[in-house]
Amino acid sequence: MGAYLARRGLRMMVIMLLASIAVFYSLRFAPGDPSGVVLNPLALEEVREAYREQLGLNQPIVVQYFVYVSNLARGELGTSLVTGKSITDLLASHGTNSLILGLSAVGLSYLIGLPLGVLAAAKRNSAVDQVAMGVGIVGMGMPNFWLALLLIYLFSSKLHWLPSAGCCGAKHLIMPTLVLAAEGTAVTMRMMRSSMLEHLGQDFVRTHRAKGLSEWTIVGGRVFRNALIPIVSLSGLRIGWLIGYTLVVETIFNWPGVGYLLVDAVLRRDYPVVQFFSLLLVFTVVVANLLADLVYGLVDPRIRHA
Amino acid sequence: MAIAPSRRVVWKEAEGLPPVRASRLTGAWRRLARNKLALVGSLVALLYVLIGLIGPFFAPYDYAEQDLLAASQPPLSDGHLLGTDQLGRDMLSRLVVGIRISLLVGFGVTLISLVVGTLAGAVAAYYRGWVDTFISGVVELTWGFPLILIAVILAGAMGPGLPATVLAVGLINWAGFARIVRGEVLHLREAEYVQAARALGVGDRRILARHVMPNVLAPALVMASYYVALAIIVEAGLSFIGMGAQPPLPSLGVMIAEGRNYMLLNHWVTTIPGLAIVAVVLGLNLLGDGLRDILDPRLRSG
């Protein structure tokens, strides 16, 4: 286990190093430079040159990269070119908002998806099953931004129940959470259903039935625990995708989280912000995958990390 | 001895059957036709491919041509079958170009990643050793990485636009195919019937073409139909938030974004492209489910 952890840790560091180099280099070659963003379009070339010098942009890229990494290591994350806010502050406020939204969406999708999947499998081909499969197909086929528009149209424009965008009250959280959770709910439900069905057909279930255990104990206890394993093994991937969807959903609802910040920074060419938050999200995805692999080993004793 | 006559009957019938290859194909088609949802899905996919290929040639107007005097016409109005948007641009002409963009990103990029991924997976499984270690390492890193995140980072580097979206889809999705093909080829090269063919002196190329590829392509095709749907959703979503196709290019996502502020008055400007996306994505997912049931019984759910 220790050797496994060390190997995975090392691999993670290599990934982050490569990712940071890729992001850093590609942003340096990006069309347009920060002086075009911040300064008046009519600014003199000397002023632009001075500005570039101030940011250290006239040094070789390798030097710039090492300056950036050493600053990062010392916790100096820099400031936004557009708003002048420090990235540390942005991380605190936007990071918290993203965590709130992300956790409520994950929670909601498991809270609905798991029981619905179990129920659909236990009552196979019943009305419940049909409804669940319908929810699954629609939930996976409905693009999340389109679902968002429909919800806004219904709950904000027509019924005036919920605010169409903004932050940070409980009412503001409802629609973004629903939209972000929709696809995850559908996927979880479908996976849980097929995983349950697979296990319900196995010999140990027949043994339990023969022993006279109640159907409730068998389905809810024995089968459920085994059927959870594929859900856990895919949760790392799911979290990665959730982070991707966060970019879209936060932008639609103007929810001031990391995703909203990153998309906005890309549109405004705010390079320090793009650089830091791209790397942060890549890092989060990599860590989520690692954690899911470790948990997988814990839930399923057959899988031992040698 | 009661079994013997009936056996002879079966044997006789088997002699009368068409060659195995033809029956396998017609069997697949028959199962597709019986699977109603899959049939609907494949018809929808076919319809979109047709619209995307030839639709823009029959478009009544230029997709960017504005006519402010005829702005916000509802569907079925004079000269505009699907109405016009707030700038008087013909919705039908914009829709067919939007569908073409979706298909380009969906089918086009998926086809390229299918080819690249299949080759990479087959090479890794065939040569093994360090080639396999290298390819598998890259695949493990790439596979399942959130497409939207990569696309936004690329948009940051290249400037927002379709090239960044296309590149992101291609960079990520080949790995999914490589992963599944590698596993399948590794499994097949040890399979008894492949060993048997080899023992009979069948050449490598013939083994690959007759015994390995058909079995590899089945799961890859199932995956492809989901990946096309995924790419279409991602492209539309990115275009919607301004990271993908840029106006006036009428990507379905751009059309929805532009109509968003007029949703209460002229809902069709958002509804029509929205329904177009939902229909094609549903169709492709149904097709994928159906293909999985038909081609790969091991993956069959429930």
Side-chain angles (χ1 to χ4, degrees):
Chain A
M1 192 69 186
Y4 175 76
L5 268 182
R7 198 147 34 92
R8 286 299 300 259
L10 193 71
R11 206 175 87 175
M12 210 174 86
M13 273 154 72
V14 173
I15 297 171
M16 286 316 296
L17 185 72
L18 291 177
S20 67
I21 294 175
V23 168
F24 195 86
Y25 266 71
S26 54
L27 283 184
R28 285 301 173 280
F29 288 115
D33 76 300
S35 75
V37 181
V38 176
L39 301 178
N40 188 314
L42 302 174
L44 294 172
E45 190 51 41
E46 293 94 77
V47 181
R48 289 181 190 283
E49 199 50 51
Y51 183 70
R52 283 190 205 113
E53 193 151 338
Q54 189 194 333
L55 292 178
L57 291 176
N58 45 6
Q59 288 171 319
I61 296 183
V62 187
V63 177
Q64 289 185 41
Y65 177 74
F66 280 106
V67 170
Y68 179 72
V69 172
S70 73
N71 282 345
L72 210 60
R74 276 182 279 127
E76 288 170 21
L77 307 182
T79 53
S80 156
L81 292 179
V82 177
T83 59
K85 285 182 190 154
S86 91
I87 289 183
T88 322
D89 291 348
L90 289 175
L91 175 62
S93 62
H94 290 248
T96 315
N97 287 336
S98 275
L99 271 183
I100 293 175
L101 178 58
L103 289 179
S104 10
V106 172
L108 186 68
S109 62
Y110 284 138
L111 216 60
I112 301 178
L114 291 182
L116 202 57
V118 173
L119 212 60
K123 311 255 177 215
R124 193 177 172 189
N125 292 333
S126 70
V128 182
D129 191 16
Q130 304 277 338
V131 169
M133 287 317 278
V135 169
I137 288 178
V138 173
M140 283 180 71
M142 181 83 92
N144 51 14
F145 65 96
W146 175 242
L147 178 64
L149 283 191
L150 293 182
L151 289 183
I152 291 173
Y153 183 76
L154 180 63
F155 290 113
S156 304
S157 306
K158 286 284 172 198
L159 297 172
H160 300 287
W161 286 354
L162 296 171
S164 66
C167 171
C168 297
K171 273 192 163 181
H172 292 97
L173 188 60
I174 295 177
M175 282 201 291
T177 305
L178 279 178
V179 172
L180 199 53
E183 202 242 5
T185 308
V187 174
T188 308
M189 197 276 296
R190 281 172 61 124
M191 237 157 57
M192 196 62 202
R193 179 179 176 273
S194 62
S195 177
M196 285 291 289
L197 284 177
E198 206 173 287
H199 283 93
L200 277 171
Q202 283 182 5
D203 289 344
F204 78 92
V205 175
R206 201 176 26 184
T207 310
H208 281 319
R209 286 206 177 113
K211 267 180 10 187
L213 280 185
S214 76
E215 196 64 22
W216 175 246
T217 322
I218 296 174
V219 173
R222 309 298 152 96
V223 178
F224 179 71
R225 249 184 291 160
N226 284 299
L228 264 185
I229 291 169
I231 310 266
V232 173
S233 80
L234 276 175
S235 59
L237 278 186
R238 299 294 327 148
I239 291 173
W241 271 93
L242 190 83
I243 290 171
Y245 287 133
T246 307
L247 299 178
V248 175
V249 173
E250 286 185 352
T251 305
I252 296 173
F253 289 103
N254 285 339
W255 180 264
V258 171
Y260 173 80
L261 189 65
L262 180 58
V263 170
D264 191 53
V266 167
L267 287 174
R268 296 184 191 207
R269 307 207 173 288
D270 192 345
Y271 291 128
V273 175
V274 173
Q275 193 162 290
F276 178 75
F277 286 98
S278 313
L279 282 179
L280 179 75
L281 291 183
V282 171
F283 181 69
T284 318
V285 173
V286 174
V287 170
N289 281 327
L290 177 63
L291 282 181
D293 279 1
L294 293 180
V295 175
Y296 189 30
L298 288 180
V299 220
D300 191 347
R302 282 169 302 182
I303 294 165
R304 283 274 174 252
H305 301 299
Chain B
M1 291 307 286
I3 299 169
S6 67
R7 244 192 207 160
R8 207 180 306 135
V9 171
V10 172
W11 193 234
K12 249 182 170 173
E13 275 175 359
E15 281 171 348
L17 285 174
V20 177
R21 192 142 57 126
S23 82
R24 198 200 290 159
L25 257 184
T26 47
W29 281 120
R30 216 175 297 134
R31 269 174 291 171
L32 181 67
R34 219 182 304 141
N35 189 333
K36 291 271 159 41
L37 288 177
L39 188 66
V40 171
S42 47
L43 287 180
V44 169
L46 203 65
L47 181 70
Y48 271 78
V49 171
L50 271 180
I51 296 176
L53 282 179
I54 61 172
F57 296 115
F58 293 97
Y61 298 86
D62 183 80
Y63 67 79
E65 186 188 313
Q66 303 184 3
D67 180 3
L68 291 174
L69 292 177
S72 304
Q73 298 288 315
L76 299 178
S77 57
D78 241 8
H80 300 284
L81 190 61
L82 294 180
T84 58
D85 67 4
Q86 59 285 350
L87 295 174
R89 294 174 295 194
D90 182 52
M91 285 296 292
L92 178 63
S93 310
R94 291 174 69 70
L95 188 73
V96 290
V97 177
I99 287 176
R100 172 175 280 188
I101 293 173
S102 288
L103 290 178
L104 209 70
V105 178
F107 283 92
V109 183
T110 304
L111 190 67
I112 295 172
S113 14
L114 174 71
V115 173
V116 172
T118 304
L119 281 179
V123 164
Y126 190 80
Y127 289 105
R128 311 223 237 181
W130 68 269
V131 179
D132 187 20
T133 312
F134 176 73
I135 294 182
S136 301
V138 178
V139 165
E140 273 309 306
L141 291 186
T142 319
W143 181 71
F145 206 88
L147 203 46
I148 299 175
L149 179 56
I150 290 290
V152 170
I153 294 176
L154 282 177
M158 305 163 60
L162 267 189
T165 308
V166 166
L167 190 59
V169 176
L171 274 179
I172 297 295
N173 279 0
W174 71 273
F177 292 114
R179 195 168 173 271
I180 206 167
V181 168
R182 174 181 170 273
E184 203 67 22
V185 172
L186 273 182
H187 164 75
L188 284 172
R189 55 181 286 163
E190 306 305 330
E192 276 169 10
Y193 69 91
V194 171
Q195 304 262 349
R198 199 168 289 144
L200 284 171
V202 180
D204 265 359
R205 199 177 293 172
R206 194 172 159 79
I207 289 182
L208 264 178
R210 280 300 300 263
H211 300 297
V212 177
M213 267 340 210
N215 287 304
V216 168
L217 276 182
L221 273 182
V222 173
M223 194 168 202
S225 57
Y226 294 128
Y227 270 17
V228 173
L230 186 67
I232 288 177
I233 288 191
V234 166
E235 187 274 326
L238 286 167
S239 301
F240 179 78
I241 61 171
M243 296 280 107
Q246 299 294 307
L249 207 59
S251 153
L252 298 178
V254 171
M255 291 173 76
I256 296 175
E258 286 183 340
R260 181 183 176 182
N261 293 334
Y262 307 89
M263 212 158 58
L264 277 180
L265 298 170
N266 353 327
H267 62 86
W268 61 88
V269 181
T270 48
T271 314
I272 290 173
L275 288 179
I277 297 174
V278 174
V280 72
V281 169
L282 276 182
L284 285 166
N285 281 340
L286 290 177
L287 178 62
D289 287 354
L291 280 180
R292 186 183 52 187
D293 289 348
I294 291 162
L295 295 174
D296 199 346
R298 277 168 304 160
L299 289 175
R300 212 171 279 177
S301 73

